[in-house]
Amino acid sequence: VFDLRINSAGLYMKALSIGVKRALSGKSSAQEALDDVAHKWRTLNESIGIEKQRQAYRNVVRLEDGN
């Protein structure tokens, strides 16, 4: 599994980490935690720009494929 290589990847991973921790500790159900993470990721995408994120991901995939 490759690291998430897009703009502000650390913010996405932090949101995921918090969601997992909340689910595992019983503070949220798994569904509630995932819904919260999805909401945070959508907010990040809107703030950074979805097309900018798509292009960053395309660049990484192209580099890893050797093209």
Side-chain angles (χ1 to χ4, degrees):
V1 175
F2 293 106
D3 291 332
L4 184 60
R5 296 184 201 162
I6 57 173
N7 300 293
S8 301
L11 296 175
Y12 289 85
M13 298 312 293
K14 182 177 179 182
L16 179 59
S17 176
I18 290 169
V20 169
K21 183 177 178 180
R22 290 184 62 81
L24 292 176
S25 70
K27 291 183 180 179
S28 298
S29 70
Q31 188 62 59
E32 290 168 336
L34 287 173
D35 288 346
D36 188 47
V37 171
H39 173 74
K40 288 177 182 170
W41 282 28
R42 277 192 296 276
T43 300
L44 284 167
N45 282 336
E46 290 168 3
S47 134
I48 295 166
I50 193 71
E51 192 52 42
K52 187 175 181 180
Q53 296 297 58
R54 285 181 179 149
Q55 188 58 46
Y57 185 73
R58 279 188 211 109
N59 290 340
V60 169
V61 170
R62 187 170 42 248
L63 289 173
E64 289 173 353
D65 284 347
N67 296 323

